[in-house]
Amino acid sequence: MNDTPARLLTLLSLLQTPREWPGSELAERLRVSARTIRRDIDRLRELGYPVEATMGAEGGYRLVAGAAMPPLLLDDEEAVAIAVGLRAGAGHAIEGVEEASVRALAKLEQVLPARLRHRVGALQSATVAVTRGDGATVDPRTLTAMAGAVAGPERLRFAYRAGDGAESRRLVEPYRLVSTGSRWYLVAYDLEREDWRTFRVDRVSDPFATGARFVPRELPMDAAEFVRRGLRGGHTYTVDASFAAAAEELPQWLRERGAAEPGGVRVRFESTDDPQWLVARMALVGVPFTVHGPEFLAHGARALAERLSGAAGTAGTAAAQAPAGPGA
C-alpha cells in the first residue's frame, strides 16, 4: 500500500481493535516492510495516538489510553450505535448528559454519510423511551443545530411557543445549552428584546443558523445559575430531607449533597425546581424518605402520597374484581 495517508488510516483502524498486533502481521496486512510499519507507528505517535510497543522476538503494538483523546475511526455499525445513543440521551435531557454530549452528536452527524443518517433516524423512530417529569422531549436535530450555533458562534433564528401558547419568531445570539435533568434550555441574548433570555428547547421549532457571526457577550452570571433563577422567577429554596438508605443506594445527584446520619442520609441543597416535580423525582429514587422542609415541599409530598394512595386503592379494587388473566 503506497498511499501513505490511506495506509496510516488503515493501520490506525487495526490498532483500535482491542488486541496486540505483531509487527509482522501488520506488515503482511498492509503489504509493506516491517521498517515501514515502524515509521508509520512513529507518525501516529507524533499525531497524538499513544501506541505502545512490546518487546520480544516478534514485537507487537497496541493502542493504549493516553493523556488526550485523539480522533477515533468508527465503522458503520459503531457510528450508528453511538449516534442513536447520543440522540436518545440528548433528546430526554438525561442527568449527566449535558452540552458536551450534544457537541459530540453535532460533530458526528456532520460527517455521517446519508445512508447512515437514514439508519439512525429509522432506529430512533422505532424506539420508545421512558421519560421523567412531564415527558417533555426535544428533537436531537434541534439540539445539534443549537450546539453548532453556540460553537460557531452564529446568530440563530427559530420559532418559539411560550408557556401561554403565544407563537413568535426569535433572532438570538446563542450562549449555552443547559440541562436540568428534566429539560433542556437555551440561554441566549435576544436581539429584538435587547436582553438575555432562557428558552425551553422543547418549545423551539425550525431552528437554523443564519451564518452571521458575532462576538459573544458576557453573561452576568453562570449559565446554569441564570436558568435556575429563571425557573422560579429568581426564587431559591433550601431542600431538607432524609433518605432511609445507605449513600451508595442513592443516585449521584443526592449522594453528592448528603451526609450520613443514623438510619440513612440527610440531604440539604438549594433548588429552583417546581416543588411537585422535585417531590416526584425524590420518590422515584425508590427508598423511604422524609421531607423536613420547607413546608410547601412537605405539603407537596403529602399531596402526592394521597393521590398515589387513592390511585392504588382504586387499582386494587379493580384488580380484585377482575377475572384472572392468562397464567394466573
Side-chain angles (χ1 to χ4, degrees):
M1 184 180 289
N2 296 322
D3 185 343
T4 301
R7 189 177 66 247
L8 284 174
L9 287 173
T10 304
L11 175 59
L12 180 58
S13 179
L14 292 172
L15 290 173
Q16 285 181 173
T17 303
R19 55 161 289 193
E20 185 171 296
W21 290 88
S24 58
E25 185 176 349
L26 291 174
E28 181 180 351
R29 280 178 173 258
L30 299 178
R31 299 177 184 177
V32 294
S33 66
R35 182 180 178 184
T36 298
I37 291 295
R38 289 194 294 271
R39 282 203 307 265
D40 287 348
I41 292 293
D42 288 339
R43 289 193 183 97
L44 289 178
R45 288 169 175 162
E46 290 171 1
L47 292 171
Y49 292 95
V51 182
E52 182 181 80
T54 57
M55 305 301 291
E58 281 289 328
Y61 301 98
R62 64 190 181 98
L63 202 59
V64 298
M69 180 70 185
L72 298 175
L73 292 177
L74 303 173
D75 63 27
D76 286 4
E77 300 302 325
E78 293 165 341
V80 168
I82 291 174
V84 170
L86 287 173
R87 277 191 174 194
H92 297 282
I94 294 173
E95 188 170 8
V97 181
E98 300 179 352
E99 188 180 352
S101 67
V102 179
R103 291 200 307 270
L105 179 59
K107 290 177 182 178
L108 181 58
E109 294 204 338
Q110 182 180 4
V111 297
L112 275 181
R115 70 180 190 281
L116 297 187
R117 198 173 293 113
H118 174 74
R119 286 179 60 189
V120 171
L123 278 171
Q124 189 181 25
S125 65
T127 302
V128 176
V130 177
T131 61
R132 305 185 299 181
D134 63 1
T137 60
V138 297
D139 187 337
R141 290 171 297 185
T142 298
L143 281 172
T144 55
M146 289 182 167
V150 169
E154 294 181 51
R155 289 179 176 174
L156 187 71
R157 283 192 182 275
F158 53 84
Y160 191 68
R161 175 178 51 81
D164 60 4
E167 304 278 351
S168 61
R169 299 287 302 179
R170 302 297 183 98
L171 175 63
V172 304
E173 293 178 350
Y175 181 73
R176 288 290 186 276
L177 282 165
V178 177
S179 169
T180 65
S182 57
R183 295 192 184 99
W184 279 102
Y185 293 87
L186 172 70
V187 175
Y189 188 85
D190 192 312
L191 291 169
E192 294 179 358
R193 290 155 180 79
E194 298 184 341
D195 199 3
W196 290 98
R197 291 287 189 271
T198 298
F199 301 95
R200 268 181 55 171
V201 177
D202 60 293
R203 293 176 177 168
V204 170
S205 58
D206 304 322
F208 68 93
T210 64
R213 304 275 180 172
F214 66 91
V215 177
R217 304 167 193 262
E218 185 174 345
L219 186 68
M221 66 186 73
D222 176 73
E225 177 62 22
F226 185 76
V227 170
R228 281 194 293 268
R229 292 190 181 188
L231 290 178
R232 289 189 57 82
H235 175 66
T236 300
Y237 59 93
T238 301
V239 178
D240 184 2
S242 294
F243 287 81
E248 57 268 20
E249 296 179 65
L250 300 180
Q252 183 177 354
W253 70 277
L254 287 174
R255 192 165 58 245
E256 64 190 13
R257 296 170 169 86
E261 66 173 8
V265 176
R266 187 151 185 167
V267 298
R268 292 185 178 90
F269 59 92
E270 300 295 314
S271 179
T272 57
D273 284 335
D274 177 84
Q276 292 187 16
W277 155 244
L278 183 58
V279 167
R281 188 180 181 200
M282 294 165 72
L284 287 173
V285 172
V287 299
F289 71 99
T290 302
V291 175
H292 304 294
E295 179 54 34
F296 62 80
L297 191 65
H299 175 76
R302 288 191 292 270
L304 177 63
E306 290 174 4
R307 288 198 299 273
L308 293 177
S309 178
T314 301
T317 302
Q321 296 174 349

